[in-house]
Amino acid sequence: MKVSHEKIDEVNAKITVNLTPEDYNPIVDKTIKDQAKKASMPGFRPGKVPASHIRRLYGQSILVDEVNRLVSEEVNKHLTDSKINYLGNPLPIEDEGQADYKWDFKDNFAFSFELGVAPEVTNPFTKESEFTEYSIQPDADTIAERVINLRNTYGKMSNPETSEEGDVLFGEFNQGTEEDAINNKTSIRISEVADKKIQKSLVGLKKDDKVIIDLKKAYKEDDKIASALGITAEQVAELKDTKFEFTVSEVSRLEPAELNQEFFDKLYPEGEVKTEEEFTERVTKELEEALEQPSLQQLRNDMYKFGIKEVQVELPKEFLKKWLKSSNPNIKDEELEEGFEQFLENLKWTLIENKILEENNLKVEYEDVLTQAKNFVSAQLRMYNYGQQIDEEQIDKFAVELLGNQEQSSRMFDEAKALKVYNHLVEQVKIKKKKISYKEFEKLQEEAQA
């Protein structure tokens, strides 16, 4: 058995595995004998089926399976022994004389694979690299908006006689009296109507009141109009008249929860918050803690962009496209092209991360991954149990279950690795701290995405 490695260029290579009958026949013969001992077939006692009979019936399929297994093992062994840093998986090169094989236990096989080789990268981060860490301060509007959201979450629904701004109107849209007439029972959230004049016309309405609404002005987008009328976006495009009569059947209003002890005790352990001032302080503190995450993410994004810009390497693009298509056979060419540049950037960043881990002897241990899983579970539980104490044993239990899922475990590993690299980098580069309001931070992100 012989494995040869041919370097095509710096990022592409070819591996060929050569097998002779002497390499594979002893293994095929053993497999046939093993199957004969286990076989149960008409005309033979269990375990007494002749190996020759198994060879005649199934010999060729066993040969194919064993040759493929041998080739796969040899390729993997070659990659491990030679310590090649490769990308994706080796892809078989079809039609290199393989059509001439008779599969008669006498062939000399040669199977070739193309390989994408990872380029050598350097760590672009030095002690002179400078980044900004933002301390995001929740402004009065952000705090007020959070308070309103909490009060609405624990508010009560009522059905007032007359509609006001912020109410929801239940009713029916109607247009036409012929067979192709459109009638649909639905609801209108007044605050979501785009046209201010139409919004005003919806205030002061009572049950059974009728109003004409031009839906093209009210909602602008065809999919929203389609939802309101219970038709498809294609049917909306065919409408000659977008003015519909709306008949009110009910007015619904959300009454925000009152800022009292009953409300505070729903959010926090009983008696822990007693006044509006304490409630506002608690909300402010929670917002400050919540805004630490987007601040951290912004710093990590800035480091990512810096690394991608500074490291200029060639990647085996054509090989990677083939590998992506082989891994995702249903992906369309336009979909592949659309996300390919982002894929290359993420791949480059992965190479940078691996380089940082390697040169600093950093390892991602199981405890790192478990901690990441616990943090994820904790965040999820706190989202649905606002302000309540979370049982640590419950977090541990869910975290272990999460890591039992291969896809989730892989994601937690990647996040743990990214965090380990980040924690190392913040100790190596210059970090300039800067206070910024939440609205200023939002504007900063919008400008970065523009």
Side-chain angles (χ1 to χ4, degrees):
M1 197 176 314
K2 179 183 177 184
V3 181
S4 60
H5 184 105
E6 179 185 352
K7 180 179 177 181
I8 307 300
D9 55 37
E10 293 301 317
V11 291
N12 290 281
K14 176 181 175 181
I15 298 173
T16 301
V17 179
N18 292 276
L19 295 176
T20 66
E22 290 75 17
D23 295 320
Y24 59 79
N25 272 333
I27 297 171
V28 172
D29 290 342
K30 182 179 183 304
T31 302
I32 289 175
K33 289 177 182 178
D34 289 342
Q35 290 200 13
K37 292 176 183 178
K38 300 174 184 177
S40 178
M41 302 179 72
F44 300 97
R45 284 183 294 162
K48 297 297 182 179
V49 179
S52 59
H53 190 62
I54 297 295
R55 176 183 286 269
R56 185 167 58 254
L57 293 177
Y58 307 112
Q60 193 171 74
S61 64
I62 292 173
L63 172 63
V64 171
D65 290 342
E66 290 301 327
V67 166
N68 284 333
R69 184 182 61 80
L70 274 172
V71 170
S72 178
E73 288 179 355
E74 285 303 311
V75 170
N76 291 332
K77 184 176 183 299
H78 172 75
L79 293 174
T80 301
D81 293 347
S82 58
K83 297 181 180 180
I84 297 173
N85 188 9
Y86 60 95
L87 302 173
N89 291 309
L91 296 178
I93 301 175
E94 306 292 347
D95 300 327
E96 285 205 353
Q98 295 172 23
D100 298 330
Y101 296 148
K102 296 182 177 61
W103 296 94
D104 58 358
F105 303 89
K106 299 177 182 178
D107 288 312
N108 288 311
F109 293 112
F111 295 96
S112 296
F113 301 82
E114 55 183 318
L115 185 70
V117 181
E120 188 64 34
V121 300
T122 56
N123 179 0
F125 297 93
T126 69
K127 292 182 178 180
E128 301 306 314
S129 305
E130 183 174 288
F131 300 90
T132 301
E133 180 181 353
Y134 296 100
S135 175
I136 309 170
Q137 309 297 307
D139 50 59
D141 289 344
T142 304
I143 296 169
E145 184 178 337
R146 179 59 178 160
V147 169
I148 290 172
N149 287 339
L150 288 172
R151 292 180 66 191
N152 285 340
T153 300
Y154 291 88
K156 296 178 181 179
M157 300 302 299
S158 64
N159 300 110
E161 186 176 335
T162 306
S163 65
E164 295 180 0
E165 259 184 85
D167 289 346
V168 176
L169 300 175
F170 289 88
E172 184 175 13
F173 278 113
N174 293 283
Q175 185 193 77
T177 57
E178 305 298 329
E179 290 184 2
D180 60 349
I182 296 176
N183 310 97
N184 188 54
K185 291 182 179 180
T186 186
S187 63
I188 300 175
R189 186 174 294 277
I190 297 176
S191 60
E192 292 182 357
V193 172
D195 187 274
K196 296 297 181 183
K197 189 175 180 180
I198 296 176
Q199 268 194 22
K200 190 174 180 181
S201 73
L202 298 176
V203 173
L205 297 180
K206 299 179 181 178
K207 182 181 177 182
D208 296 328
D209 281 351
K210 300 179 187 295
V211 61
I212 302 298
I213 302 175
D214 187 338
L215 290 179
K216 201 70 175 176
K217 292 181 180 179
Y219 291 120
K220 308 290 188 185
E221 299 163 9
D222 285 356
D223 60 337
K224 290 184 178 180
I225 299 173
S227 178
L229 296 178
I231 60 178
T232 66
E234 289 75 16
Q235 288 173 307
V236 171
E238 295 173 0
L239 288 176
K240 295 178 181 178
D241 182 7
T242 57
K243 290 181 180 179
F244 284 75
E245 181 183 74
F246 183 78
T247 303
V248 179
S249 62
E250 184 179 83
V251 179
S252 180
R253 180 176 301 162
L254 176 64
E255 301 284 356
E258 294 184 20
L259 292 172
N260 54 27
Q261 195 62 49
E262 180 185 0
F263 171 61
F264 300 149
D265 289 346
K266 285 180 180 178
L267 290 171
Y268 307 106
E270 187 174 344
E272 195 169 284
V273 174
K274 299 178 181 178
T275 66
E276 289 187 28
E277 290 75 17
E278 289 178 351
F279 172 62
T280 303
E281 288 176 7
R282 187 70 173 258
V283 170
T284 302
K285 182 181 178 182
E286 288 167 352
L287 280 171
E288 289 174 344
E289 291 173 352
L291 291 173
E292 288 176 1
Q293 184 59 36
S295 174
L296 165 65
Q297 192 58 51
Q298 181 66 37
L299 179 54
R300 288 171 67 169
N301 286 345
D302 289 343
M303 289 180 171
Y304 173 91
K305 291 178 181 177
F306 173 83
I308 296 301
K309 181 181 177 182
E310 291 296 312
V311 174
Q312 299 298 319
V313 291
E314 185 64 33
L315 292 167
K317 295 180 182 179
E318 292 307 313
F319 167 82
L320 290 170
K321 286 181 180 179
K322 290 181 186 177
W323 174 68
L324 286 171
K325 292 198 74 170
S326 71
S327 305
N328 306 275
N330 295 325
I331 192 170
K332 297 178 181 177
D333 288 343
E334 55 268 26
E335 293 174 329
L336 179 62
E337 291 298 334
E338 184 179 348
F340 191 62
E341 287 304 315
Q342 184 63 54
F343 167 79
L344 291 179
E345 286 190 0
N346 290 339
L347 178 57
K348 188 192 292 187
W349 178 251
T350 298
L351 295 175
I352 295 171
E353 282 185 324
N354 291 342
K355 183 65 176 181
I356 293 171
L357 291 171
E358 178 190 345
E359 67 183 15
N360 294 283
N361 199 28
L362 301 173
K363 299 185 184 300
V364 181
E365 308 289 355
Y366 174 75
E367 285 302 318
D368 300 320
V369 182
L370 181 60
T371 298
Q372 194 65 36
K374 287 180 181 180
N375 291 340
F376 174 80
V377 169
S378 177
Q380 294 295 307
L381 290 176
R382 293 181 199 286
M383 184 184 301
Y384 296 105
N385 299 274
Y386 183 82
Q388 303 303 310
Q389 191 71 28
I390 304 298
D391 184 1
E392 291 299 322
E393 288 187 9
Q394 190 179 29
I395 292 175
D396 292 347
K397 176 176 176 290
F398 287 151
V400 172
E401 289 179 0
L402 183 75
L403 294 180
N405 180 290
Q406 186 174 355
E407 184 178 342
Q408 293 289 351
S409 179
S410 178
R411 186 162 70 88
M412 291 299 110
F413 175 86
D414 289 341
E415 292 182 8
K417 182 176 79 167
L419 185 60
K420 177 143 296 203
V421 170
Y422 167 79
N423 288 336
H424 172 77
L425 287 177
V426 294
E427 297 296 327
Q428 304 299 313
V429 301
K430 291 182 180 178
I431 302 291
K432 180 177 65 175
K433 297 183 181 294
K434 180 180 179 180
K435 286 187 176 183
I436 187 173
S437 74
Y438 179 63
K439 291 195 180 298
E440 289 175 321
F441 181 74
E442 279 188 320
K443 185 178 179 182
L444 184 73
Q445 289 186 307
E446 288 173 2
E447 291 174 349
Q449 293 173 359

XYZ file of all heavy atoms in Angstrom, residues 21-88:
540
model
N -3.688 -6.153 -4.985
C -4.466 -7.271 -4.426
C -3.889 -7.794 -3.119
O -4.631 -8.240 -2.245
C -4.407 -8.334 -5.525
C -4.259 -7.539 -6.797
C -3.376 -6.387 -6.422
N -2.558 -7.745 -2.997
C -1.923 -8.207 -1.763
C -2.314 -7.337 -0.565
O -2.283 -7.789 0.586
C -0.390 -8.203 -1.906
C 0.159 -9.265 -2.848
C -0.066 -8.909 -4.327
O -0.345 -7.723 -4.617
O 0.000 -9.836 -5.166
N -2.678 -6.066 -0.823
C -3.065 -5.156 0.250
C -4.481 -5.431 0.758
O -4.743 -5.397 1.963
C -2.995 -3.697 -0.224
C -1.590 -3.254 -0.556
O -0.672 -3.641 0.196
O -1.412 -2.525 -1.552
N -5.382 -5.698 -0.179
C -6.792 -5.775 0.234
C -7.368 -7.182 0.309
O -8.309 -7.429 1.069
C -7.666 -4.914 -0.677
C -7.651 -5.259 -2.143
C -8.387 -6.335 -2.645
C -6.920 -4.488 -3.061
C -8.391 -6.645 -3.995
C -6.925 -4.795 -4.426
C -7.656 -5.869 -4.885
O -7.670 -6.180 -6.222
N -6.842 -8.139 -0.461
C -7.462 -9.475 -0.481
C -7.459 -10.186 0.875
O -8.465 -10.813 1.243
C -6.812 -10.351 -1.543
C -7.488 -10.172 -2.905
O -8.661 -9.832 -2.984
N -6.739 -10.399 -3.970
N -6.353 -10.129 1.649
C -6.398 -10.793 2.967
C -7.508 -10.229 3.867
O -8.162 -10.978 4.594
C -5.011 -10.486 3.552
C -4.137 -10.294 2.355
C -4.999 -9.609 1.341
N -7.732 -8.934 3.774
C -8.766 -8.314 4.593
C -10.153 -8.694 4.094
O -11.057 -8.991 4.877
C -8.589 -6.780 4.580
C -7.249 -6.402 5.217
C -9.734 -6.080 5.317
C -6.867 -4.949 5.079
N -10.308 -8.700 2.757
C -11.600 -9.097 2.167
C -11.910 -10.554 2.512
O -13.043 -10.884 2.886
C -11.577 -8.890 0.639
C -12.838 -9.486 0.003
C -11.461 -7.409 0.298
N -10.886 -11.434 2.413
C -11.091 -12.855 2.736
C -11.530 -13.023 4.184
O -12.425 -13.832 4.483
C -9.799 -13.645 2.492
C -9.469 -13.773 1.006
O -10.392 -13.561 0.188
O -8.313 -14.069 0.671
N -10.904 -12.269 5.087
C -11.262 -12.374 6.511
C -12.698 -11.927 6.734
O -13.457 -12.557 7.486
C -10.303 -11.532 7.356
C -10.576 -11.629 8.860
C -9.586 -10.792 9.651
C -9.814 -10.964 11.143
N -11.186 -10.662 11.579
N -13.093 -10.834 6.079
C -14.462 -10.332 6.232
C -15.475 -11.348 5.704
O -16.522 -11.575 6.320
C -14.622 -8.990 5.484
O -13.677 -8.049 5.994
C -16.027 -8.426 5.648
N -15.159 -11.965 4.579
C -16.063 -12.981 4.005
C -16.202 -14.169 4.961
O -17.311 -14.668 5.205
C -15.532 -13.440 2.630
C -15.722 -12.316 1.601
C -16.256 -14.711 2.170
C -15.112 -12.614 0.238
N -15.091 -14.632 5.548
C -15.141 -15.756 6.493
C -15.942 -15.396 7.743
O -16.720 -16.219 8.256
C -13.716 -16.163 6.887
C -12.950 -16.844 5.763
C -11.524 -17.166 6.182
C -10.748 -17.812 5.035
N -9.334 -18.094 5.416
N -15.763 -14.147 8.229
C -16.505 -13.706 9.414
C -18.001 -13.686 9.134
O -18.813 -14.090 9.978
C -16.035 -12.318 9.849
C -14.635 -12.351 10.447
O -14.176 -13.451 10.824
O -13.997 -11.271 10.531
N -18.363 -13.221 7.950
C -19.785 -13.162 7.606
C -20.361 -14.558 7.415
O -21.519 -14.819 7.740
C -19.989 -12.321 6.344
C -19.740 -10.837 6.571
C -20.387 -9.974 5.508
O -21.221 -10.439 4.740
N -19.991 -8.706 5.453
N -19.548 -15.476 6.895
C -20.008 -16.857 6.709
C -20.349 -17.498 8.049
O -21.315 -18.258 8.177
C -18.943 -17.670 5.982
N -19.560 -17.184 9.082
C -19.797 -17.754 10.410
C -21.086 -17.216 11.040
O -21.707 -17.885 11.872
C -18.616 -17.441 11.334
C -17.329 -18.150 10.938
C -16.170 -17.719 11.832
C -14.874 -18.377 11.396
N -13.719 -17.933 12.237
N -21.474 -16.011 10.642
C -22.659 -15.380 11.238
C -23.911 -15.565 10.379
O -25.023 -15.311 10.839
C -22.406 -13.882 11.418
C -21.228 -13.561 12.321
C -20.963 -12.072 12.327
C -19.715 -11.730 13.140
N -19.422 -10.271 13.072
N -23.730 -15.995 9.137
C -24.848 -16.017 8.183
C -25.858 -17.107 8.514
O -25.519 -18.176 9.030
C -24.314 -16.215 6.770
N -27.108 -16.809 8.214
C -28.196 -17.780 8.343
C -28.932 -17.803 7.008
O -29.640 -16.854 6.659
C -29.137 -17.377 9.487
O -30.214 -18.287 9.577
N -28.769 -18.909 6.232
C -29.309 -18.961 4.885
C -30.018 -20.295 4.650
O -29.625 -21.331 5.228
C -28.180 -18.775 3.855
C -27.411 -17.472 4.028
S -26.079 -17.292 2.826
C -27.028 -16.967 1.356
N -31.055 -20.299 3.815
C -31.770 -21.543 3.508
C -30.823 -22.605 2.946
O -29.972 -22.309 2.092
C -32.802 -21.104 2.459
C -32.985 -19.640 2.692
C -31.649 -19.141 3.120
N -30.961 -23.845 3.445
C -30.133 -24.950 2.947
C -28.869 -25.147 3.732
O -28.122 -26.106 3.472
N -28.580 -24.266 4.688
C -27.369 -24.375 5.491
C -27.719 -24.207 6.965
O -28.612 -23.420 7.325
C -26.338 -23.311 5.094
C -25.895 -23.390 3.663
C -26.504 -22.565 2.709
C -24.902 -24.271 3.258
C -26.117 -22.610 1.386
C -24.517 -24.325 1.926
C -25.113 -23.500 0.976
N -26.972 -24.943 7.802
C -27.145 -24.754 9.237
C -26.541 -23.409 9.637
O -25.567 -22.944 9.013
C -26.450 -25.892 9.993
C -27.222 -27.211 9.950
C -26.521 -28.245 10.778
N -25.212 -28.602 10.212
C -24.252 -29.204 10.889
N -24.440 -29.523 12.151
N -23.115 -29.501 10.290
N -27.115 -22.730 10.664
C -26.565 -21.439 11.107
C -25.077 -21.544 11.412
O -24.634 -22.456 12.119
C -27.369 -21.128 12.374
C -28.666 -21.850 12.173
C -28.300 -23.119 11.443
N -24.304 -20.645 10.841
C -22.860 -20.637 11.065
C -22.086 -21.595 10.200
O -20.855 -21.681 10.301
N -22.780 -22.348 9.329
C -22.099 -23.336 8.494
C -22.177 -22.994 7.008
O -21.957 -23.850 6.153
C -22.708 -24.719 8.721
C -22.554 -25.248 10.142
C -21.089 -25.436 10.514
C -20.953 -26.014 11.906
N -19.509 -26.233 12.268
N -22.496 -21.739 6.695
C -22.553 -21.323 5.287
C -21.121 -21.273 4.749
O -20.244 -20.623 5.351
C -23.222 -19.943 5.137
C -23.249 -19.518 3.674
C -24.633 -19.965 5.710
N -20.802 -21.932 3.633
C -19.434 -21.915 3.090
C -19.011 -20.498 2.704
O -19.805 -19.725 2.159
C -19.525 -22.819 1.855
C -20.743 -23.663 2.068
C -21.688 -22.818 2.847
N -17.758 -20.173 2.971
C -17.232 -18.862 2.608
C -17.312 -18.639 1.101
O -17.539 -17.516 0.632
C -15.796 -18.726 3.097
N -17.164 -19.738 0.344
C -17.232 -19.614 -1.123
C -18.617 -19.159 -1.576
O -18.753 -18.443 -2.570
C -16.879 -20.950 -1.774
O -17.778 -21.975 -1.336
N -19.642 -19.596 -0.843
C -21.016 -19.211 -1.189
C -21.218 -17.716 -0.911
O -21.838 -17.000 -1.715
C -22.001 -20.054 -0.367
C -23.418 -19.915 -0.822
N -23.846 -20.282 -2.083
C -24.522 -19.405 -0.187
C -25.142 -20.044 -2.210
N -25.567 -19.497 -1.060
N -20.688 -17.232 0.222
C -20.770 -15.803 0.553
C -20.005 -14.982 -0.473
O -20.461 -13.928 -0.928
C -20.219 -15.540 1.969
C -21.073 -16.255 3.024
C -20.159 -14.044 2.256
C -22.490 -15.748 3.142
N -18.816 -15.485 -0.892
C -18.015 -14.762 -1.888
C -18.788 -14.649 -3.200
O -18.787 -13.590 -3.847
C -16.690 -15.474 -2.112
C -15.817 -14.831 -3.220
C -14.553 -15.641 -3.432
N -13.616 -15.440 -2.359
C -12.657 -14.502 -2.362
N -12.548 -13.674 -3.392
N -11.840 -14.395 -1.351
N -19.436 -15.749 -3.606
C -20.164 -15.736 -4.871
C -21.341 -14.755 -4.828
O -21.613 -14.048 -5.798
C -20.661 -17.146 -5.187
C -21.339 -17.273 -6.558
C -21.527 -18.717 -6.980
N -22.309 -19.478 -6.006
C -21.814 -20.381 -5.172
N -20.516 -20.642 -5.190
N -22.586 -21.028 -4.322
N -22.036 -14.696 -3.691
C -23.225 -13.833 -3.590
C -22.880 -12.376 -3.279
O -23.452 -11.453 -3.859
C -24.170 -14.375 -2.502
C -24.843 -15.719 -2.773
C -25.683 -16.140 -1.578
C -25.721 -15.644 -4.030
N -21.938 -12.199 -2.358
C -21.707 -10.837 -1.846
C -20.247 -10.387 -1.953
O -19.906 -9.300 -1.470
C -22.119 -10.754 -0.363
C -23.517 -11.242 -0.095
C -23.728 -12.416 0.641
C -24.623 -10.558 -0.588
C -25.013 -12.890 0.895
C -25.911 -11.018 -0.344
C -26.096 -12.185 0.400
O -27.375 -12.633 0.652
N -19.425 -11.185 -2.578
C -17.995 -10.879 -2.597
C -17.653 -9.512 -3.149
O -16.839 -8.778 -2.583
N -18.291 -9.138 -4.264
C -17.931 -7.862 -4.887
C -18.327 -6.670 -4.014
O -17.566 -5.700 -3.883
C -18.580 -7.737 -6.268
C -17.992 -6.586 -7.085
C -18.484 -6.595 -8.514
O -19.642 -6.240 -8.761
N -17.633 -7.008 -9.445
N -19.516 -6.729 -3.400
C -19.935 -5.611 -2.545
C -19.049 -5.519 -1.306
O -18.734 -4.417 -0.834
C -21.400 -5.771 -2.136
O -21.601 -6.922 -1.341
N -18.619 -6.690 -0.783
C -17.688 -6.680 0.355
C -16.360 -6.080 -0.073
O -15.742 -5.292 0.655
C -17.498 -8.111 0.907
C -18.803 -8.599 1.550
C -16.351 -8.162 1.907
C -18.763 -10.061 1.978
N -15.904 -6.430 -1.278
C -14.651 -5.879 -1.812
C -14.732 -4.364 -1.897
O -13.806 -3.658 -1.467
C -14.382 -6.478 -3.188
C -13.213 -5.870 -3.979
C -11.898 -6.082 -3.242
C -13.140 -6.458 -5.379
N -15.829 -3.848 -2.441
C -16.002 -2.392 -2.573
C -15.954 -1.726 -1.205
O -15.255 -0.727 -0.996
C -17.336 -2.072 -3.294
C -17.617 -0.565 -3.226
C -17.297 -2.549 -4.729
N -16.681 -2.295 -0.244
C -16.727 -1.703 1.103
C -15.353 -1.703 1.757
O -14.931 -0.691 2.344
C -17.712 -2.476 1.994
C -19.162 -2.259 1.591
O -19.426 -1.270 0.860
O -20.030 -3.057 2.012
N -14.637 -2.807 1.659
C -13.339 -2.912 2.329
C -12.292 -2.019 1.669
O -11.451 -1.412 2.350
C -12.870 -4.366 2.338
C -13.673 -5.272 3.253
C -13.645 -4.809 4.699
O -12.615 -4.251 5.135
O -14.650 -5.010 5.408
N -12.326 -1.934 0.338
C -11.378 -1.051 -0.357
C -11.636 0.406 0.036
O -10.702 1.171 0.329
C -11.476 -1.248 -1.886
C -10.763 -0.105 -2.613
C -10.865 -2.585 -2.280
N -12.900 0.806 0.042
C -13.234 2.179 0.434
C -12.809 2.477 1.873
O -12.302 3.563 2.179
C -14.738 2.429 0.291
C -15.150 2.610 -1.160
O -14.354 3.038 -1.986
N -16.390 2.265 -1.481
N -13.005 1.482 2.746
C -12.603 1.673 4.148
C -11.091 1.815 4.266
O -10.578 2.684 4.971
C -13.096 0.497 4.995
C -12.820 0.659 6.482
C -13.302 -0.562 7.268
N -12.629 -1.772 6.841
C -11.388 -2.116 7.240
N -10.702 -1.313 8.042
N -10.855 -3.238 6.829
N -10.370 0.945 3.553
C -8.909 1.007 3.585
C -8.384 2.349 3.075
O -7.485 2.949 3.662
C -8.319 -0.127 2.733
C -8.127 -1.483 3.401
C -7.718 -2.506 2.367
C -7.086 -1.391 4.501
N -8.957 2.809 1.967
C -8.519 4.074 1.367
C -8.772 5.224 2.338
O -7.912 6.086 2.556
C -9.249 4.323 0.029
C -8.987 5.735 -0.474
C -8.788 3.296 -1.010
N -9.961 5.232 2.947
C -10.311 6.295 3.897
C -9.353 6.295 5.084
O -8.870 7.354 5.514
C -11.752 6.105 4.378
O -12.095 7.077 5.326
N -9.050 5.106 5.596
C -8.116 5.005 6.731
C -6.727 5.503 6.360
O -6.071 6.206 7.151
C -8.040 3.556 7.213
C -9.276 3.081 7.953
C -9.167 1.625 8.381
O -8.152 0.972 8.004
O -10.071 1.136 9.083
N -6.274 5.156 5.165
C -4.934 5.557 4.744
C -4.836 7.071 4.535
O -3.820 7.686 4.874
C -4.543 4.823 3.462
C -4.189 3.365 3.672
C -3.058 3.197 4.686
O -2.029 3.886 4.555
O -3.219 2.383 5.605
N -5.892 7.653 3.972
C -5.896 9.111 3.790
C -5.847 9.802 5.148
O -5.051 10.734 5.363
C -7.145 9.557 2.992
C -7.284 11.085 3.026
C -7.049 9.084 1.557
N -6.684 9.358 6.087
C -6.708 9.974 7.418
C -5.378 9.788 8.146
O -4.899 10.708 8.829
C -7.849 9.388 8.259
C -9.212 9.812 7.748
O -9.367 10.872 7.157
N -10.220 8.982 7.974
N -4.793 8.598 8.002
C -3.492 8.336 8.642
C -2.409 9.233 8.051
O -1.568 9.785 8.782
C -3.120 6.865 8.442
C -1.832 6.443 9.148
C -1.601 4.944 8.983
C -0.358 4.489 9.729
N 0.864 5.147 9.257
N -2.454 9.421 6.739
C -1.476 10.289 6.089
C -1.599 11.730 6.584
O -0.584 12.387 6.879
C -1.670 10.244 4.571
C -0.837 11.250 3.833
N 0.515 11.113 3.637
C -1.193 12.443 3.252
C 0.978 12.156 2.968
N -0.045 12.973 2.724
N -2.831 12.215 6.694
C -3.047 13.592 7.148
C -2.586 13.769 8.586
O -2.006 14.802 8.943
C -4.529 13.959 7.024
C -5.090 14.046 5.602
C -6.601 14.267 5.633
C -4.417 15.157 4.811
N -2.824 12.739 9.421
C -2.413 12.820 10.824
C -0.898 12.749 10.964
O -0.283 13.570 11.660
C -3.061 11.679 11.640
O -4.481 11.774 11.536
C -2.657 11.762 13.102
N -0.290 11.768 10.288
C 1.160 11.573 10.418
C 1.956 12.747 9.850
O 2.997 13.123 10.393
C 1.584 10.281 9.705
C 1.032 9.034 10.404
O 0.549 9.171 11.550
O 1.067 7.951 9.792
N 1.469 13.303 8.749
C 2.204 14.406 8.110
C 1.880 15.754 8.738
O 2.487 16.768 8.392
C 1.876 14.455 6.613
O 0.481 14.619 6.419
N 0.901 15.757 9.674
C 0.500 16.979 10.396
C 0.127 18.114 9.439
O 0.471 19.280 9.667
C 1.611 17.420 11.348
C 1.904 16.398 12.434
C 2.995 16.857 13.381
C 3.245 15.799 14.450
N 4.311 16.203 15.397
N -0.568 17.756 8.383
C -1.013 18.769 7.418
C -2.208 19.522 7.994
O -3.176 18.912 8.467
C -1.408 18.107 6.080
C -0.203 17.418 5.458
C -2.005 19.132 5.117
C -0.538 16.595 4.222
N -2.150 20.822 7.973
C -3.269 21.654 8.419
C -4.179 21.870 7.209
O -3.925 22.735 6.371
C -2.756 22.993 8.960
C -3.854 23.804 9.620
O -4.970 23.312 9.828
N -3.554 25.050 9.944
N -5.196 21.046 7.107
C -6.042 21.091 5.907
C -7.396 21.720 6.200
O -7.810 21.856 7.357
C -6.226 19.685 5.329
C -6.882 18.690 6.255
C -8.252 18.471 6.199
C -6.125 17.968 7.180
C -8.864 17.559 7.050
C -6.730 17.061 8.035
C -8.092 16.858 7.970
O -8.687 15.970 8.812
N -8.092 22.094 5.150
C -9.391 22.751 5.257
C -10.483 21.829 4.721
O -10.304 21.194 3.683
C -9.394 24.062 4.467
C -8.325 25.082 4.870
C -8.330 26.256 3.890
C -8.555 25.578 6.284
N -11.616 21.785 5.396
C -12.698 20.925 4.948
C -12.288 19.467 5.030
O -11.637 19.035 5.992
